[in-house]
Amino acid sequence: PATNLLYLQLDKPFSEILNMTVFDNFGKPIYNDYFKNTIDVSNFSKGIYFLKMTTKDGIVIRKFVIQ
């Protein structure tokens, strides 16, 4: 679970992330940016979120929790 920062690391072949979008539990996009190693989640409400990462090789979606 994250509280202030979400740290990102992907293994190959998904090592080159072009875009990232965070969706809330209802599917509403709440954050969109180019790849960074961290996302500041300190202003996110507690709950479950989904991170969609678009890479040259495809799309990766991961779930994360804010406490």
Side-chain angles (χ1 to χ4, degrees):
T3 54
N4 293 316
L5 290 175
L6 179 66
Y7 295 93
L8 305 174
Q9 179 179 349
L10 285 180
D11 295 326
K12 292 181 181 181
F14 297 107
S15 58
E16 188 175 339
I17 299 173
L18 304 175
N19 189 345
M20 305 183 309
T21 305
V22 175
F23 297 89
D24 66 14
N25 200 31
F26 300 104
K28 178 182 173 187
I30 58 168
Y31 176 91
N32 188 36
D33 205 347
Y34 294 103
F35 178 70
K36 298 177 183 177
N37 290 331
T38 60
I39 297 176
D40 180 2
V41 295
S42 61
N43 61 352
F44 287 21
S45 300
K46 293 180 181 180
I48 298 172
Y49 294 85
F50 297 90
L51 173 63
K52 176 182 175 182
M53 297 166 281
T54 304
T55 73
K56 288 174 53 176
D57 300 308
I59 294 174
V60 177
I61 298 176
R62 297 289 184 259
K63 179 173 72 171
F64 66 95
V65 176
I66 302 295
Q67 285 190 338

